[in-house]
Structures are given as structure tokens and as C-alpha cells.
Amino acid sequence: MAKDILLITPPFTQLNTPYPATVYLKGFLNTKQIKSFQMDLGIEVIIALFSKKSLINLFNIALENNSISSANSQRIYALKNSYLSTINPVIYFLQGKNETLARQICTLSYLPKASRFDQLDDLEWAFGSMGIQDKAKHLATLYLEDLSDFIKECVDENFGFSRYAESLGQSANSFDDLYNNLQLEKTYIDKITLQILDEKLKNIQPKLVCISVPFPGNLYSGFRCAQFIKQNYSEITVSMGGGFPNTELRSLSDVRVFEFFDFITLDDGELPVEILWNYVKNPSKENNNFKRTFLKENNKVVYNNLATKNDYKQSELGTPDYTDLLLDTYLSVIEIANPMHSLWSDGRWNKLTMAHGCYWAKCTFCDISLDYIKIYEPITAKLLVDRMETIIETTGESGFHFVDEAAPPALMRTLALEILKRDLTVTWWANIRFEKSFTKDLCTLLKASGLIAVSGGLEVASDRLLKLIDKGVTVKQVAQVNLNFTESDILVHAYLMYGFPTQTVQETVNSLEMVRQLFGLGIINSGFWHQFSLTAHSPIGLNPKDYGVLPDYKEITFANNDVEFKDVTGIDHSKFSYGLKKSIFNFMHGIGFDVDLQDWFDFKIPSTTIHPYFIEDCLTSEEYLTTKTSAKIVWLGGMPLVSYTSKTKRGKTRELIQLAFHTKNKLFETSLEKDKGEWLLNTLEKIAVQKGNSLTFNQLKVDFELNFENFELFWYSKPIKNLRNYGLLIL
């Protein structure tokens, strides 16, 4: 089964779905008739690691190493027979292959339990809102996390489900630590990884191996794989690309890196890999003009960007291709009992982007100087839905996670209309900016097309700091937009930040109060606090003095992204970490809203200066907002049942039309004058979403006034107002 190129994602990223980099690259290579094979080495290692055969080895190694020291690891070892008898059935269950096991898992007697289950005493109430399958997934996840704790303590301290030896890739200005670790004896997990890789290399027989390293937690394993190939398959060319080198390795100068890799490519990988492949086929001086590529020449690191060909447009890249990936082996896990938070780990999501880059590209903490964010190029809605339909056919999965930096609202609107026009049933969620374009009607449309959730940056929940970030939103605006989403039954996750340059203790406390109110009103469902980090390629990193930041620059020979710094305020923001995360964990489970903010911290904080009803006062009705003449009018509902009647009043008889609209949940009836009602019926048929047509508000007004007078009086009448609640949308 020889292939030209082998595409690898090294351990570890996600348990429930493949990281999409190789999927995109394979789709592109298909358009060039270049034969490729892709593998998610992470999930293959996880499945090999969490098996009865492997657990026997792990328990024996831990005993031989005399490393079973804590009470928790001793308990797990004492229960080893229970783990050995349950591990394979639990893995099958989390793969969706053994759903009936859920009833056993939910009993007290099936799973062995160690320290991860201690939290259940506080959270047992949360299972009331979870179905039995979700409850079983949560319990099975805790069970795996107990085993993970045992592995970290007794066998391999670097293990983590979504990362491996992550510390070696974080802020690694020098290659020394990583290089030295790569000279050590291979770990148990290394051996599993390399055994699987070896089998694949023998089977695929590639001439070029491209290793995609998205995160610091993939870096060590990526180098281990490259090292193994160099030592055992020296005829194979090895290249690295992906999110980590794109952001971290732009200042690379340590030549030792090229003991492992022949090439490292930056930014969009399609054209660089195509050129690399042409070089591998025909290595010559005439064929060595590369695209954004590091390599070794004369024992020095050289950056070669001599190719004159422009990058491909998004429309030319082909449809992402999930072929070769072992899609039925991924594990759906639920770490906490919060439906929004579980989306990242539960269910198999096809990853897509609506656009290359970010349409906003102004946030001062973000790496907006880099091409993957700076260069914005959207894809047409028609092409997107074509790709979605192809992916559904090839994977059998109709769930999509749009992983844009921020999905553009206008494109989300046209995407939703195209999905509805094709009568396509999909489930999707996306990363967004909480901007005012997300009106109540747009959210209704998005929900009808299958949107179930959004995630976006609220960041510091302070108008002063949001302005300093250049976020382009206010707290009031975010609150209103989130209300529009949640009233449309769309879940909302907020990314939150603390420790932003010049942020005061008072502003941190006030941000927490804002977040408490947002959760209390139910207009965000999930959130996560992270401490501000200074990155070299952000506006703050490029101009630190403008933001009161004193960076501590180090000599860079390897990775360059996170920069150590001091804030001129001198505040130790890290002390807020535990309290902020503890509070939001409770808020996500619907409790703790009445707890005094002081109680989340073990040090004195000032009282909040935010009014207790501030967020509630921010929320307004959109019902009476003036409609723009260019707004599109769309009908989401079906056509009504029609009957005619007449009504006599003061000797005058009026012909009426009665319309009965059946929705999935309700019956809505209204009556109008016959001629106006028939005009309305005809109009609804014209602008029905399945027809793919719409009229602007002005076109509607002109058409109405060809036959009648005073369109505004008609538009704001009670029957039309009622229709607005049943699918007559202004977009």
C-alpha cells in the first residue's frame, strides 16, 4: 500500500475527534493527485495504552520500579483486577460500541473508584439533568482519569490525555532540554508510539513524512517520531509543520533540530508541502526554491522562501478528507457535568473553517502579525455546504465544529440560509466575536440551521480593558448578544482573562461579579479563566511599553512565543487563579451565585463596585428597533392552512382570510383582510427559506404599496408582530 506522503499528528490532542491539519492537507493533495496516507498517532496510542494487555504491563512496571507510593496509587494497584476486567468494556462504551453498558457503569458496584470520584459527593445533584448515557460517560471519564493519575505517578510523569511532555515545548527558548530528553531511554509510551509508527512505515513505504505539531504537548512526540525515522529509515525525508512551528519557531537557529527533521515549514502548509514533494521526487539545485521553509545548509539554519508562486486560494484547496483515520476508535468523554463544556470532548466533530484568518484581527493580545490570522479570506457559503455534504458522505457524521479565529456573522447567515435551502440536517457550533450583528432574528435563523453553541472572548469583562484590548465590544453589548443566543436555545461559552496589563485588583473582582451575574441570568452557560500571557507576535509583544509591560527577553535559538514579563502595577495576578476557577466551576453547575465573592479567595479582596443588577439592566428588547431598508426578510415557517370567512359590522361585510400556522410545538392562528392576507401568503411563499430567495425590507414595501397604502401600518400590525415570533425574520 505504498503512498507518496505519510501525514502524522503525534500524541496527544483530543480523545473524541481528530485534529484537522492533516485532514485539510490530504484534501489538498488529492487535488494534485499526490497519494497520501494520514494517521492520528495520538488516538492509536491511547487505544493501545488503555487496554487490558497494556494495563498488565503498567501494573508490573510500577511494581518493579517501586513507585507505588501514594495512598491513591496504592488503592488503584490493590484494585488492579477490577481495572483489568473493566478497561476493555469501558473503552468500547466510550467508542459508542457498547451503549447498554451505561446502566452497569451507573451502578455503585461496576467501576473501581479512586480519588477522581471524590468530587461526586458535591456534584451528584448535577446528574439529575444528565441522561443515563451522559452520566455513564462522565463516570467512565473519571475512571480513566484515575488510571491517568496512576500512569503519571508510577510510570511516566509526562503523560496527559491531550498532551505529552508539554513542559518541554512551553517557552523553550533553548533546544537544550528537549534535545537532552531525546537522548534518554525511551519511555513506555514512546515504545508504544514507535511500534505503531514502525508498522505504519513498513506498510505505507512513504518517501516523505510530514509531522504536524499543533501544540507544545505534541512537540516531544513529534521529535521522537522524527528521531526514530532518521535512525531506522534514513532514506525517508521528514518535515514538520503545524501550529507550534507557525507561532514558536520563526526565530529558529539551533542546527541540532535538523538531526531530526530535514525541513520545517511555516504557515499555510499546502504550497510548501507540494514544493517539498517535488523536491523529494527530484532533488536538484534547480528545484530548491522552497516556500517558507527552514533547512540546514553548510551546517547553519537557513530560511528559504525563494519560491515565487503564490499560496492557493481557499476555493482551490479541495475538500478536507478524513479517509484513513480510525474514526470509530475515538472516545467520547465528559469531564464535567456541563452540556456546553462537554462539546470539546464529547462526540465526533468534523472540523471546518469558514474563512482563513480573522475578519477583526485587532485584539492586542493576539498574534495578529502572523499570516494565519492577518490574511483574511472567506469561503463562499455554497462551497462550504458542498464540502459539508461531501464530508458527511465520507465520514457518516453530520456534526461540525467551525474552528475559525472568529466566524464572520454575515457568512454564518449565508451558511445557515444555504443549509436550510438544501434541507440539510447538520449540527454545528463555532467560535465567534460577541458583536451586535448577532440579533435575535439572526440567532433564530442560525438555530434553525443546526447551530447549537458558540464560544467567544468576553476576556476581562471591563469596558476600560476591553477598549485597551481593542476587542470592539462592550460588556453591555456582550450581555445583549448572549441573551439573543440563549433565548434561541444556543449555548454560550465565554473565554475569560485575568492579569491583563494594567488590570487592577478592583477590576479583577468586578470582572468576577460581571461573570457571576451573566451565569446567574443564564445568558452564558460555560466559561474558562486563563491568565494573560505575553506573546512575541501580538501588538503588546511588539510594543510592550505602550501597555505598561516590561518584557524579559531571552536569547532565542529555538522557540519564541511566550515572553516572561512584569506588569508595571506589580500585582501578582496568579494568586487569583484558584478562586476564579473554583467560582466558575460552581457557576457552570448552577450553584454558588449567592456566595460572597470574598469566599472564593483565601486572601482579602475589595468589595465589588458593580451594581447587583448591572447585567440585567443592560438587557433590552429588540422588538421595536427600526428596520433598515436593506434588511433581508426571510420566512422560516411552513405555509398555513387557509380558510375564508366574512364579518359584518354596522352593515358592512368584510371578506377575511384565516391562516392557521402549525409549528413543531404550537398552533398559531390569525386573520387578515382577504386581499392583504392573500398578498401575505404569496409573499411568504416567495421568501420561504427553502426557495433560497429573500426580499429586502424596501422591496417588500414597494411591492405592498403597488396594491395598498401605508405599509408601515401593516408591518407593525398585530398579525405581523405575531408572525415575527413564528419565523418571519429580519436579517
Side-chain angles (χ1 to χ4, degrees):
M1 198 171 77
K3 300 283 185 179
D4 299 329
I5 301 176
L6 175 60
L7 308 169
I8 298 174
T9 305
F12 294 108
T13 47
Q14 285 179 264
L15 293 177
N16 64 312
T17 200
Y19 191 77
T22 64
V23 172
Y24 273 75
L25 202 48
K26 184 176 177 67
F28 166 74
L29 293 172
N30 291 343
T31 70
K32 300 296 176 182
Q33 285 75 52
I34 299 172
K35 296 176 182 177
S36 66
F37 189 96
Q38 64 182 325
M39 64 183 302
D40 179 356
L41 200 44
I43 194 62
E44 296 196 39
V45 172
I46 287 289
I47 297 307
L49 182 64
F50 288 92
S51 65
K52 182 175 181 179
K53 178 182 176 182
S54 176
L55 283 193
I56 291 171
N57 292 335
L58 286 167
F59 286 130
N60 289 338
I61 291 168
L63 190 63
E64 290 168 10
N65 292 347
N66 198 28
S67 57
I68 308 172
S69 55
S70 72
N72 191 56
S73 61
Q74 288 171 5
R75 173 172 173 77
I76 292 172
Y77 185 80
L79 291 167
K80 67 176 183 179
N81 289 335
S82 294
Y83 284 102
L84 293 174
S85 66
T86 52
I87 186 63
N88 287 352
V90 166
I91 292 296
Y92 291 148
F93 166 72
L94 291 174
Q95 290 172 332
K97 300 173 183 175
N98 189 14
E99 293 185 356
T100 55
L101 190 69
R103 297 181 180 277
Q104 283 234 66
I105 291 173
C106 291
T107 65
L108 293 174
S109 58
Y110 184 71
L111 293 178
K113 299 173 182 65
S115 64
R116 292 291 183 141
F117 285 81
D118 293 346
Q119 61 184 287
L120 285 181
D121 293 340
D122 299 325
L123 295 178
E124 187 64 33
W125 57 269
F127 292 138
S129 60
M130 295 176 78
I132 193 166
Q133 291 291 325
D134 282 354
K135 179 177 179 180
K137 284 180 187 177
H138 182 52
L139 294 172
T141 303
L142 297 177
Y143 161 94
L144 289 184
E145 287 176 339
D146 275 335
L147 284 172
S148 172
D149 291 341
F150 183 86
I151 293 169
K152 287 180 76 169
E153 180 184 335
C154 305
V155 180
D156 189 339
E157 64 181 3
N158 287 317
F159 178 71
F161 278 118
S162 59
R163 62 193 63 86
Y164 187 69
E166 184 178 42
S167 61
L168 294 175
Q170 289 180 321
S171 302
N173 305 132
S174 165
F175 187 47
D176 289 347
D177 285 349
L178 180 54
Y179 186 80
N180 292 336
N181 269 270
L182 290 164
Q183 311 312 311
L184 300 176
E185 185 179 342
K186 297 176 182 67
T187 67
Y188 180 75
I189 291 170
D190 286 341
K191 291 172 184 175
I192 293 177
T193 303
L194 299 178
Q195 181 183 350
I196 295 170
L197 174 61
D198 190 35
E199 291 172 3
K200 200 66 69 178
L201 290 168
K202 286 173 179 171
N203 189 23
I204 302 301
Q205 300 171 29
K207 297 178 180 66
L208 171 63
V209 172
C210 295
I211 298 177
S212 178
V213 178
F215 307 114
N218 305 88
L219 186 68
Y220 167 83
S221 286
F223 269 85
R224 267 296 188 203
C225 291
Q227 180 188 51
F228 177 81
I229 296 169
K230 283 293 163 202
Q231 291 172 347
N232 297 277
Y233 297 88
S234 58
E235 73 281 4
I236 295 176
T237 301
V238 187
S239 174
M240 172 167 60
F244 182 86
N246 290 351
T247 53
E248 308 261 356
L249 298 186
R250 307 185 83 89
S251 304
L252 177 65
S253 63
D254 194 322
V255 75
R256 292 176 297 172
V257 170
F258 293 92
E259 294 174 23
F260 305 86
F261 292 96
D262 298 294
F263 301 99
I264 295 175
T265 64
L266 301 183
D267 301 326
D268 296 345
E270 289 84 4
L271 182 57
V273 168
E274 182 189 14
I275 291 173
L276 275 186
W277 171 243
N278 290 333
Y279 176 78
V280 169
K281 284 193 300 180
N282 179 24
S284 64
K285 287 187 177 180
E286 295 76 29
N287 202 22
N288 65 351
N289 289 346
F290 299 106
K291 194 76 172 178
R292 297 187 300 272
T293 300
F294 283 111
L295 62 151
K296 183 175 79 170
E297 286 182 357
N298 301 320
N299 208 35
K300 288 185 178 180
V301 177
V302 173
Y303 182 64
N304 184 321
N305 192 24
L306 298 173
T308 56
K309 187 173 181 180
N310 292 326
D311 283 293
Y312 291 95
K313 293 181 179 179
Q314 295 299 298
S315 59
E316 300 171 324
L317 298 182
T319 300
D321 186 349
Y322 283 83
T323 306
D324 311 325
L325 296 173
L326 307 179
L327 298 180
D328 62 345
T329 64
Y330 286 87
L331 309 178
S332 279
V333 295
I334 296 180
E335 296 167 9
I336 64 172
N338 176 287
M340 172 70 217
H341 218 73
S342 69
L343 288 179
W344 278 274
S345 60
D346 183 26
R348 246 276 302 124
W349 300 100
N350 299 311
K351 308 272 190 178
L352 274 178
T353 49
M354 296 185 197
H356 180 285
C358 179
Y359 72 96
W360 181 249
K362 294 180 182 178
C363 297
T364 54
F365 62 80
C366 185
D367 293 338
I368 59 175
S369 67
L370 300 183
D371 285 353
Y372 82 93
I373 294 176
K374 179 174 64 176
I375 299 174
Y376 174 66
E377 184 192 347
I379 305 171
T380 65
K382 184 180 184 305
L383 181 56
L384 265 176
V385 182
D386 286 345
R387 289 178 177 177
M388 291 170 77
E389 290 191 309
T390 300
I391 290 170
I392 291 169
E393 288 175 12
T394 56
T395 68
E397 299 280 356
S398 58
F400 292 87
H401 179 198
F402 287 93
V403 292
D404 299 69
E405 301 297 319
L411 184 48
M412 291 177 73
R413 179 185 72 183
T414 53
L415 174 68
L417 289 169
E418 187 68 22
I419 289 169
L420 291 164
K421 176 185 172 183
R422 300 193 195 187
D423 201 21
L424 188 63
T425 298
V426 293
T427 304
W428 60 286
W429 54 298
N431 303 329
I432 63 158
R433 286 180 64 247
F434 294 123
E435 62 162 86
K436 60 186 178 182
S437 302
F438 290 107
T439 62
K440 183 177 180 181
D441 279 15
L442 178 54
C443 291
T444 300
L445 174 76
L446 296 172
K447 176 63 180 178
S449 73
L451 181 70
I452 57 166
V454 292
S455 56
L458 172 54
E459 317 307 354
V460 286
S462 153
D463 284 341
R464 180 187 80 83
L465 293 170
L466 284 170
K467 190 173 181 180
L468 197 60
I469 289 172
D470 201 1
K471 193 72 186 177
V473 300
T474 63
V475 174
K476 179 178 181 179
Q477 184 179 313
V478 171
Q480 181 62 53
V481 166
N482 287 357
L483 177 67
N484 295 341
F485 278 120
T486 52
E487 283 190 338
S488 300
D489 200 22
I490 296 169
L491 297 170
V492 175
H493 174 87
Y495 296 108
L496 302 161
M497 184 187 295
Y498 63 100
F500 192 82
T502 74
Q503 184 170 0
T504 65
V505 169
Q506 185 67 65
E507 285 173 323
T508 300
V509 172
N510 287 353
S511 286
L512 176 56
E513 171 59 17
M514 295 280 204
V515 170
R516 185 195 69 80
Q517 291 185 29
L518 288 162
F519 270 104
L521 291 168
I523 56 177
I524 58 175
N525 309 96
S526 167
F528 183 80
W529 288 101
H530 67 276
Q531 188 169 349
F532 169 80
S533 61
L534 178 64
T535 60
H537 311 292
S538 67
I540 301 177
L542 295 171
N543 304 286
K545 290 182 180 178
D546 295 349
Y547 298 89
V549 168
L550 303 172
D552 179 14
Y553 293 119
K554 306 262 175 68
E555 182 187 359
I556 305 298
T557 58
F558 186 57
N560 179 28
N561 192 33
D562 287 359
V563 179
E564 293 183 18
F565 71 97
K566 290 182 180 177
D567 185 340
V568 292
T569 63
I571 297 168
D572 177 14
H573 295 286
S574 62
K575 66 182 181 180
F576 287 95
S577 176
Y578 180 77
L580 290 174
K581 291 175 181 177
K582 182 180 179 183
S583 63
I584 206 167
F585 184 81
N586 281 269
F587 298 160
M588 282 195 292
H589 289 93
I591 56 175
F593 301 122
D594 298 328
V595 173
D596 192 291
L597 298 186
Q598 176 63 66
D599 292 349
W600 300 117
F601 303 95
D602 58 4
F603 56 91
K604 183 67 177 172
I605 61 167
S607 298
T608 182
T609 58
I610 301 299
H611 188 277
Y613 297 101
F614 176 84
I615 296 295
E616 193 170 339
D617 292 341
C618 288
L619 306 177
T620 58
S621 170
E622 295 184 357
E623 186 177 352
Y624 299 107
L625 297 180
T626 304
T627 304
K628 293 181 180 178
T629 57
S630 60
K632 291 181 182 293
I633 312 300
V634 173
W635 173 239
L636 268 188
M639 297 309 292
L641 301 176
V642 178
S643 60
Y644 291 90
T645 186
S646 59
K647 188 174 184 180
T648 303
K649 189 175 183 181
R650 296 176 184 173
K652 287 187 177 181
T653 300
R654 285 194 307 153
E655 295 293 321
L656 300 177
I657 186 170
Q658 292 185 318
L659 307 175
F661 294 90
H662 286 267
T663 71
K664 291 177 182 177
N665 302 312
K666 292 180 181 178
L667 166 64
F668 158 61
E669 297 180 286
T670 191
S671 61
L672 299 94
E673 293 176 15
K674 181 186 172 197
D675 50 357
K676 290 181 181 175
E678 288 179 340
W679 176 89
L680 177 63
L681 269 178
N682 184 49
T683 300
L684 292 180
E685 195 161 352
K686 280 184 193 174
I687 62 173
V689 72
Q690 293 83 2
K691 295 284 181 69
N693 299 321
S694 63
L695 296 173
T696 66
F697 182 76
N698 192 55
Q699 287 171 329
L700 211 62
K701 173 180 162 69
V702 169
D703 188 60
F704 181 88
E705 291 181 347
L706 289 175
N707 303 287
F708 313 103
E709 294 180 352
N710 205 332
F711 174 72
E712 280 76 12
L713 187 64
F714 174 77
W715 184 253
Y716 293 105
S717 66
K718 188 175 180 181
I720 300 301
K721 281 185 181 178
N722 285 334
L723 271 185
R724 299 268 288 107
N725 294 323
Y726 289 90
L728 184 60
L729 304 182
I730 303 172
L731 303 170

